[in-house]
C-alpha cells in the first residue's frame, strides 16, 4: 500500500476516542498497520473494526506494567515489529485546584498521563532498537508549557511528559529511535466536551478558551493527527527531542 507511513506498524494508546482514534484513521489511510489499545474495550474495538484488517485492538490500561509486555508481545506476533508508538491515553483536569484536589486524584492523573507514557516507552523502545529504530510520539499539551489555574495535576503531568520526552530523545538517538512531544491547544474531542459539560459555566468557559487561541476557534482532531502522521513518517527523520506545538496561536500570546 502506498502512503506516507506505508509498511510501518504503529501502536496507539487511547485509540478508542479523540486524538488517538483520529490518528489511527489517518495513519491507516497513509498505509500503516495498527495496534490500537485503550481501557474502553467496546469503543476501541469499534475503531479497529472501522479501519479493517490492518488494525488490531487490545484492551489495556496504560498504568498496567505487566500488560505492556503482553501488548508488545501480541503486536510482535501479529506484525513482527513496532515502528511507531503514539502515547495518547490521558485524562483531563478532573480533581480540581491545588487547594481542593485530593492526593488520590493527583496520583491518578500523574499515573495515567505520565507513568503511562513512561511505561509505554520503556516497554516498546527495546523492540524498536532490535528491529532497527522507530518514532515515539508523546501527547503533552500546551498545558505542559504554560500554566492554567485550577489544573495543577494535569499541567504537572504534561510538563513531565515534555521533559521525559527530551531526556529519552537524547538517550535513544544513538540507537535509532526518535522521541518527540506534541502540544495541542484545546481540541474538539470528548475530553474537552466532558470538561465543559461538567462545568457550571460551560458556555462561558468555552468562549474564554476560544478567545485564548489567536485563530479564534478550538482545533479539530484532524489538525493534531496530521502532525502525528508527520512525526511518524520519515518526513521528520531529523527531528528528535522537539516540541510540535499545534495550538492556533495559544502560546504565542
Ligand atoms: N483534546 C485536547 O484539547 C487536548 C489538548 C492537549 C493534549 N491532549 C492530550 O491528548 C491525548 C488524547 O486526548 P483526547 O482529547 O483524545 O481525549 P479523549 O478523552 O477523547 O481520549 C482519551 C482516551 O484515553 C483513554 N484512557 C484514559 N485512561 C486510560 C488508561 N489508564 N489506559 C488506557 N486508556 C486510557 C480513554 O478511554 C480515551 O479513549 C491526552 O493525553 C490528552 O491529555 C488533548
Amino acid at each position: 500500500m502506498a502512503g506516507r507511513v506505508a509498511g510501518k506498524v504503529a501502536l496507539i494508546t487511547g485509540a478508542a476516542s479523540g486524538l488517538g482514534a483520529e490518528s489511527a484513521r489517518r495513519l491507516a489511510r497513509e498505509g500503516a498497520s495498527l495496534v490500537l489499545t485503550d481501557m474502553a474495550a467496546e469503543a476501541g474495538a469499534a475503531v479497529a473494526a472501522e479501519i479493517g484488517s490492518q488494525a488490531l485492538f487490545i484492551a489495556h490500561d496504560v498504568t498496567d506494567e505487566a500488560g505492556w509486555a503482553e501488548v508488545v508481545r501480541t503486536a510482535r506476533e501479529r506484525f513482527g515489529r513496532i515502528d511507531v508508538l503514539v502515547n495518547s491515553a490521558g485524562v483531563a483536569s478532573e480533581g480540581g485546584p491545588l487547594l481542593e484536589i485530593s492526593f488520590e486524584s493527583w496520583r491518578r492523573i500523574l499515573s495515567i498521563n505520565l507513568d503511562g507514557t513512561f511505561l509505554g516507552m520503556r516497554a516498546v523502545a527495546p523492540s524498536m532498537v532490535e528491529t532497527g529504530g522507530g518514532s515515539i510520539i508523546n501527547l503533552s499539551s500546551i498545558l505542559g508549557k504554560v500554566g492554567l489555574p485550577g489544573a495543577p495535576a494535569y499541567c504537572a503531568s504534561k510538563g513531565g511528559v515534555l521533559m521525559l520526552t527530551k531526556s529519552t530523545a537524547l538517550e535513544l538517538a544513538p540507537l535509532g529511535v526518535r522521541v518527540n512531544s506534541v502540544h495541542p491547544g484545546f481540541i474538539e474531542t470528548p475530553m474537552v466536551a466532558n470538561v465543559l459539560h461538567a462545568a457550571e459555566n460551560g458556555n462561558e468557559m468555552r468562549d474564554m478558551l476560544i478567545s485564548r487561541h489567536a485563530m479564534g476557534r478550538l482545533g479539530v482532531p484532524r489538525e493534531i493527527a496530521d502532525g502525528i502522521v508527520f512525526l511518524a513518517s520519515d518526513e521528520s527523520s531529523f527531528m528528535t527531542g522537539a516540541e510540535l506545538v499545534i495550538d492556533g496561536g495559544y502560546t504565542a500570546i
Side-chain angles (χ1 to χ4, degrees):
M1 189 193 222
R4 293 162 65 197
V5 287
K8 293 190 190 291
V9 180
L11 195 169
I12 306 175
T13 72
S17 175
L19 305 183
E22 187 62 12
S23 300
R25 293 186 191 102
R26 298 194 84 78
L27 285 165
R29 203 174 309 163
E30 294 296 338
S33 299
L34 297 165
V35 181
L36 309 181
T37 74
D38 205 292
M39 268 183 3
E42 214 172 297
V47 174
E50 173 198 325
I51 290 170
S53 60
Q54 79 203 84
L56 164 75
F57 175 74
I58 306 169
H60 175 234
D61 178 334
V62 291
T63 65
D64 172 9
E65 184 181 5
W68 266 111
E70 188 60 21
V71 167
V72 171
R73 198 183 56 73
T74 308
R76 293 282 308 260
E77 256 174 35
R78 168 77 183 266
F79 295 114
R81 53 193 293 123
I82 302 168
D83 302 294
V84 176
L85 168 65
V86 182
N87 282 309
S88 190
V91 287
S93 51
E94 76 229 48
L98 180 75
L99 300 184
E100 290 171 22
I101 188 171
S102 67
F103 190 37
E104 193 188 354
S105 294
W106 161 271
R107 291 183 78 156
R108 178 170 177 273
I109 293 168
L110 268 288
S111 164
I112 295 170
N113 293 0
L114 184 55
D115 297 357
T117 302
F118 160 76
L119 289 172
M121 290 201 291
R122 208 181 53 169
V124 175
S127 166
M128 288 178 165
V129 171
E130 193 192 315
T131 58
S135 171
I136 298 177
I137 301 155
N138 293 327
L139 267 296
S140 176
S141 169
I142 48 170
L143 302 182
K145 294 172 65 67
V146 297
L148 183 75
Y154 188 79
C155 289
S157 71
K158 293 302 182 178
V161 168
L162 167 68
M163 290 313 299
L164 174 63
T165 299
K166 290 195 191 299
S167 174
T168 314
L170 298 176
E171 179 183 334
L172 297 182
L175 303 175
V177 179
R178 301 186 293 109
V179 192
N180 294 288
S181 54
V182 177
H183 302 262
F186 285 82
I187 312 299
E188 308 269 12
T189 69
M191 176 180 278
V192 169
N194 291 341
V195 168
L196 293 176
H197 188 70
E200 269 171 36
N201 57 345
N203 284 340
E204 272 169 49
M205 213 170 134
R206 188 184 166 81
D207 289 345
M208 182 275 288
L209 290 178
I210 287 172
S211 74
R212 288 190 174 194
H213 295 74
M215 293 176 77
R217 65 174 176 86
L218 305 188
V220 295
R222 197 258 316 148
E223 293 172 311
I224 306 305
D226 278 347
I228 289 171
V229 170
F230 167 67
L231 289 175
S233 78
D234 295 338
E235 294 159 18
S236 57
S237 54
F238 198 48
M239 272 179 83
T240 199
E243 303 159 31
L244 184 58
V245 177
I246 310 175
D247 71 351
Y250 188 108
T251 53
I253 295 171

